[in-house]
Amino acid sequence: MSDHAAQRNFVEAVGARVLGGVCYLGGITILLGRAVSVSRATLARSSGRDALIVQMVRVGVRSVGIVCLVQIFIGVILALQLAPPLEPWGQVEMIANIIGIAGFRMLGPILTAVVLSGFAGASIAAELGTMVVAEEIEALQAHALNPVRFLIVPRLLATFVMMILLTIIANWMIAIGGYVTALAVLDPEVSEGYWSLMRDQLRLRDFASGLIMAGVFGVLISLIACYEGLRVRGGAEGVGKATTMTVVYSIVSIVLAAGVFTAIFYVFGF
Amino acid sequence: MTQTDTDNSTNAPISVKPVIRVVDLVKRFSGRAVLDGINLAVHKGETIVIMGGSGCGKSTLLRHMIGSLFPEEGRVELLGRNLNELDEPDLNALRLRFGILFQSGALFNSMTVGENVALPLREHTNLDEQTIDIMVTIKLEQVGLREAADLMPAEISGGMKKRAGLARAIALDPEILFYDEPSAGLDPVTSAEIDQLVMDLSGKLGVTSVVVTHEMDSAFRIADRMAMLDRGKMIKIAPRSEFEAIRDGQATGDEGTDLIRQFLRGDSEGPITARRLSTGYEEDILEAAWEE
Ligand SMILES: Nc1ncnc2c1ncn2[C@@H]1O[C@H](COP(=O)(O)OP(=O)(O)OP(=O)(O)O)[C@@H](O)[C@H]1O
Ligand SMILES: [Mg+2]
């Protein structure tokens, strides 16, 4: 193969990837648009509200334990890693400020989202994919029942709401993890001043920016999961692929979105 | 091959507008024409059976008739409306007038059998819960599944799933019923029961039925007219008696007729198998080698 041909193949491959990415984004955006346009219709019916509650329980209650466990450990790790470098400056008590900022602004939402993409995202994709394979989605349509109104909206709203609620819990778990560590292994004055330092450090915008991101992550996770699930073709194999891709794309999009939002917050001093 | 004109092949008067009309329908999947110029007219109250080998496009044709797939060329008219031209609300209004039994039953797995049947009633009527309960019981009794109302789809057998799917399909008393292989994979008795059900629905209630099947016994039991689909083309549409004559007659030498004859009789030798053996074995091998 000549150099020229190799180069062209490379360009073509990159082009195909970019095009595929744009199509994917387009597909997800369309799905979001449709979901938004029928969300009122979902909530207007008691069956829709019931479905929402079922999904909230499924998304939230099942992952709350894992979220707590992970986030407490994050608090512990932060405290143990930050204490030694702060020691020479006599500022070990500052771990409260740093854990507050890092936890509430970033680690709380991001790690909760990662846990949720594995928990809720994967299971939503598998469930919808199985429904596609079993002709259930077509059956809904044939009965004049809109699958977006029936299936997507409850999952999207549930993940959005639960992501925010779980992040609130997660934030406190990180803080508690740091506090417990301070109590157990650091100087007594560190734990004594812990909560007041954290309270002085944190502003409303720190809570808010974390929760805004959490909401965005929730929408991203559920949209990707629903999209992957709905486009499953070809049996169990397709379902397996959809769950894997859901987790991969979710995590990538979570980190990218976090980067974008952090940059925006930074520019606007939020 | 005999390309039978649809409108001559029926004994219904020409002036009666068909309930379903498929006109010059072409459907391609990634460039390959799966349905290639299909014409078909189904009249009120009749039962038409569509036959054909596995993968010849029967389910795909059915999906076009229910407006879940749309053709590249041609059109489907259902109850006088061109499906291509309907928007979602109009299509949904039309969907309430027909029912479909999917190949796999397609029950909603998160609901009990009873809830599956109740769903269309709950969503599309203003009936109160008590009335819906009664209706569900009636529909389930019709398919012989009353005792399974509270079971989940995962807990019942394949045949029961099909029957439950049928109960759901008839929940709103449709004018047209589509069946995708209603008796495939069922034991002979259950299969005969389903056939009886199909005949009852069309005989007593005047439902128009389109049945896809390759169970020949069942096809000859229920059909008024039969249609043979082969490799994306409709090669014959005729009253049952004509197909019976082909089945019971001698091989004619005409490829289309002999193909149908082999299919109906389930012979292991004939045009279908001859085609399979002769098509491009060498080409395939050469092509494979070439791609290396
Ligand atoms: N969504 C799709 N995308 C691509 N190809 C498809 C799709 N649906 C069906 N096909 C192809 O179209 C052809 C006809 O499929 P179809 O399901 O209509 O066959 P069938 O006659 O119902 O077969 P069977 O008797 O096995 O149910 C097959 O070759 C199948 O691979
Ligand atoms: Mg089929």
Side-chain angles (χ1 to χ4, degrees):
Chain A
M1 208 185 272
S2 73
D3 269 6
H4 184 69
Q7 252 171 17
R8 212 183 57 194
N9 275 350
F10 176 73
V11 171
E12 273 173 12
V14 170
R17 274 293 167 90
V18 170
L19 214 61
V22 171
C23 287
Y24 197 90
L25 275 181
I28 285 195
T29 313
I30 290 172
L31 187 61
L32 179 63
R34 285 198 196 155
V36 170
S37 71
V38 295
S39 56
R40 269 246 283 254
T42 303
L43 296 177
R45 287 180 149 271
S46 71
S47 61
R49 291 192 292 272
D50 290 349
L52 177 61
I53 290 168
V54 168
Q55 293 303 323
M56 278 168 54
V57 169
R58 164 195 173 176
V59 170
V61 175
R62 274 176 34 187
S63 32
V64 67
I66 303 278
V67 167
C68 289
L69 183 73
V70 168
Q71 301 289 19
I72 287 180
F73 266 78
I74 292 294
V76 171
I77 293 167
L78 279 178
L80 289 179
Q81 286 189 335
L82 288 171
L86 290 170
E87 182 93 70
W89 310 88
Q91 304 228 313
V92 178
E93 69 276 8
M94 289 290 282
I95 63 166
N97 307 57
I98 302 178
I99 289 177
I101 291 290
F104 281 73
R105 288 197 80 118
M106 180 59 55
L107 292 169
I110 284 201
L111 287 172
T112 306
V114 169
V115 170
L116 219 63
S117 66
F119 243 109
S123 93
I124 287 174
E127 184 194 29
L128 292 180
T130 311
M131 292 183 76
V132 170
V133 173
E135 300 178 308
E136 282 184 51
I137 306 286
E138 263 182 274
L140 274 177
Q141 281 172 329
H143 282 96
L145 300 170
N146 182 349
V148 175
R149 167 166 83 81
F150 234 70
L151 300 172
I152 308 302
V153 173
R155 283 160 181 76
L156 199 107
L157 280 179
T159 315
F160 173 75
V161 172
M162 289 325 269
M163 186 58 217
I164 292 175
L165 294 183
L166 283 172
T167 298
I168 293 173
I169 296 173
N171 291 341
W172 290 108
M173 288 300 143
I174 295 180
I176 290 171
Y179 178 70
V180 171
T181 312
L183 210 57
V185 294
L186 301 178
D187 284 343
E189 61 260 33
V190 178
S191 56
E192 274 159 30
Y194 188 87
W195 294 116
S196 66
L197 276 177
M198 190 177 282
R199 193 171 56 232
D200 292 345
Q201 175 66 46
L202 290 177
R203 299 275 168 277
L204 182 63
R205 62 169 181 261
D206 297 313
F207 290 97
S209 67
L211 294 186
I212 290 172
M213 278 209 267
V216 172
F217 296 161
V219 171
L220 280 173
I221 294 168
S222 52
L223 269 182
I224 291 173
C226 291
Y227 186 67
E228 285 290 332
L230 286 181
R231 68 182 197 145
V232 163
R233 292 290 171 272
E237 197 186 326
V239 176
K241 195 169 153 239
T243 47
T244 311
M245 292 333 281
T246 298
V247 177
V248 173
Y249 289 154
S250 294
I251 292 178
V252 171
S253 71
I254 287 163
V255 176
L256 291 185
V260 171
F261 272 84
T262 308
I264 294 173
F265 292 151
Y266 179 82
V267 168
F268 289 96
F270 188 71
Chain B
M1 281 189 194
T2 44
Q3 180 72 50
T4 318
D5 188 353
T6 47
D7 283 328
N8 302 337
S9 63
T10 167
N11 16 9
I14 301 291
S15 62
V16 177
K17 231 177 154 350
V19 178
I20 307 166
R21 230 165 86 103
V22 180
V23 184
D24 297 328
L25 183 142
V26 176
K27 178 67 180 182
R28 299 190 193 89
F29 284 124
S30 41
R32 191 171 61 95
V34 170
L35 296 175
D36 193 3
I38 302 285
N39 282 289
L40 179 70
V42 184
H43 294 274
K44 189 161 173 41
E46 76 169 338
T47 299
I48 187 159
V49 168
I50 300 173
M51 306 170 294
S54 214
C56 73
K58 302 182 299 291
S59 298
T60 308
L61 178 56
L62 220 51
R63 292 199 164 102
H64 282 86
M65 294 195 208
I66 63 169
S68 112
L69 282 179
F70 292 90
E72 258 84 57
E73 291 166 33
R75 63 179 191 275
V76 174
E77 286 169 18
L78 205 64
L79 298 160
R81 311 289 301 271
N82 181 348
L83 295 187
N84 293 345
E85 289 165 2
L86 295 183
D87 56 7
E88 198 63 21
D90 282 344
L91 195 55
N92 278 340
L94 202 57
R95 279 169 173 153
L96 300 183
R97 297 172 63 187
F98 65 80
I100 172 158
L101 171 57
F102 285 89
Q103 197 160 355
S104 60
L107 296 179
F108 305 124
N109 272 305
S110 55
M111 304 177 184
T112 66
V113 170
E115 285 166 354
N116 263 279
V117 181
L119 185 67
L121 296 165
R122 289 212 176 102
E123 293 293 326
H124 296 305
T125 67
N126 294 321
L127 301 174
D128 56 278
E129 274 305 302
Q130 209 180 353
T131 319
I132 289 179
D133 273 352
I134 296 171
M135 302 264 296
V136 168
T137 311
I138 294 173
K139 300 295 172 188
L140 284 176
E141 175 63 23
Q142 261 182 294
V143 299
L145 269 188
R146 194 156 43 85
E147 73 285 357
D150 295 325
L151 297 179
M152 298 303 283
E155 299 168 329
I156 62 179
S157 73
M160 290 162 88
K161 276 185 198 157
K162 283 242 169 95
R163 285 188 279 160
L166 185 52
R168 189 180 63 188
I170 59 177
L172 293 175
D173 298 319
E175 296 161 51
I176 310 173
L177 270 169
F178 297 95
Y179 305 82
D180 197 350
E181 314 220 352
S183 48
L186 302 184
D187 68 81
V189 175
T190 315
S191 163
E193 277 174 4
I194 296 225
D195 290 343
Q196 192 57 51
L197 217 61
V198 176
M199 288 188 282
D200 283 351
L201 285 168
S202 88
K204 290 179 192 154
L205 303 174
V207 175
T208 309
S209 314
V210 179
V211 186
V212 161
T213 187
H214 38 216
E215 305 280 308
M216 282 309 116
D217 292 342
S218 130
F220 280 107
R221 250 196 311 258
I222 60 182
D224 295 320
R225 282 195 305 144
M226 302 173 99
M228 179 81 193
L229 197 60
D230 179 55
R231 294 193 295 187
K233 288 198 166 26
M234 204 54 106
I235 57 172
K236 190 175 182 68
I237 305 170
R240 179 176 64 187
S241 53
E242 262 182 58
F243 276 87
E244 278 167 343
I246 293 176
R247 180 191 57 182
D248 301 332
Q250 292 298 315
T252 57
D254 172 60
E255 201 203 331
T257 313
D258 285 352
L259 187 145
I260 295 169
R261 183 171 173 272
Q262 183 189 5
F263 189 86
L264 298 180
R265 296 163 62 101
D267 289 344
S268 60
E269 274 178 39
I272 302 177
T273 30
R275 181 169 73 198
R276 213 171 276 157
L277 294 178
S278 69
T279 41
Y281 181 53
E282 296 87 350
E283 282 97 321
D284 278 359
I285 293 205
L286 282 177
E287 200 174 309
W290 201 71
E291 269 173 15
E292 283 293 301

